[in-house]
Amino acid sequence: MTRALVLFAHPCAESFSAALHDCVVKRLRARGWDVDDCDLNAEGFSPILTAMERRTYHDAGHNIAPVADYVARLRQAEALVLVFPVWNFGYPAVLKGFFDRVFLPGVSFTLQNGKVMPNLTHIRKLAAVTTYGGTRLRAFMAGDPPRKTVTRAVWHVCRPEKTRYLALYDMNRATDGQRGGFLSRVDAEMERL
């Protein structure tokens, strides 16, 4: 049985992101996976990196204490699935804060001679399910930071066997048919993950 940590970052239960989140969780559970469903907003995760946390950032003993429960959940995962909307060509603050506060030295990476070495190599599968208000071209022209962060930075600290980045672009003008098609695609990709 694969244990998946699903990180969901949207405050509204009626959103299309919530529908995507439900699709991901249901499909993985239907496959028999043990799903740790982490709704960051519902859990009240604070994205704010405090002054104390920044000062102890490189102290692997102290840096974990404020987020120890989330670190334990991340360490137990064999798959990591992120479900979020792209806002202003970036992550919602709660997800960005999760990376800032939980992907710590000694947790997601170690520093060896100043180089970042992966430390989440137990995560064998990595997926992101997201929507963009703008077109793929607009995202490309802006450098598409969320895609690059998942497929480069998060990928680097995990080194997974399988990575998927599923995006519905131009969400602001998407039809019911396009949204339904994307939900079907996400369901199929979670079946194959």
Side-chain angles (χ1 to χ4, degrees):
M1 177 185 303
T2 299
R3 182 172 179 81
L5 175 60
V6 175
L7 293 177
F8 175 54
H10 196 293
C12 301
E14 72 279 8
S15 67
F16 185 62
S17 287
L20 293 169
H21 167 243
D22 288 343
C23 175
V24 166
V25 170
K26 285 178 182 172
R27 176 51 57 203
L28 295 179
R29 285 185 174 150
R31 292 184 62 198
W33 286 25
D34 179 11
V35 177
D36 180 356
D37 186 8
C38 180
D39 181 335
L40 293 169
N41 287 282
E43 291 187 14
F45 180 81
S46 173
I48 299 169
L49 182 71
T50 67
M52 183 209 61
E53 288 173 320
R54 182 59 194 134
R55 288 183 183 111
T56 61
Y57 183 79
H58 291 285
D59 182 347
H62 291 92
N63 66 359
I64 294 170
V67 290
D69 290 343
Y70 289 99
V71 168
R73 292 165 78 176
L74 183 62
R75 286 178 168 164
Q76 292 171 1
E78 298 168 277
L80 178 61
V81 182
L82 313 170
V83 184
F84 62 94
V86 171
W87 289 337
N88 298 305
F89 297 105
Y91 295 114
V94 73
L95 183 57
K96 175 63 168 80
F98 186 91
F99 289 133
D100 291 346
R101 295 187 66 217
V102 180
F103 275 54
L104 297 162
V107 177
S108 67
F109 67 95
T110 60
L111 287 174
Q112 296 178 11
N113 298 319
K115 294 179 77 173
V116 173
M117 303 303 291
N119 204 42
L120 291 174
T121 54
H122 57 280
I123 295 177
R124 299 184 335 266
K125 298 166 191 267
L126 172 64
V129 177
T130 188
T131 59
Y132 290 69
T135 64
R136 175 73 178 107
L137 178 60
R138 285 187 62 213
F140 175 78
M141 296 301 285
D144 205 348
R147 179 183 290 270
K148 287 181 180 174
T149 300
V150 169
T151 61
R152 295 178 185 180
V154 178
W155 179 90
H156 177 67
V157 297
C158 299
R159 299 297 174 99
E161 299 163 6
K162 187 178 264 191
T163 303
R164 293 289 179 268
Y165 191 89
L166 310 171
L168 175 63
Y169 292 92
D170 210 9
M171 175 68 184
N172 294 341
R173 294 183 288 191
T175 65
D176 289 344
Q178 289 168 319
R179 286 189 298 275
F182 187 63
L183 273 167
S184 295
R185 178 179 170 215
V186 168
D187 186 67
E189 289 286 351
M190 291 302 107
E191 179 65 32
R192 292 189 293 265
L193 186 64

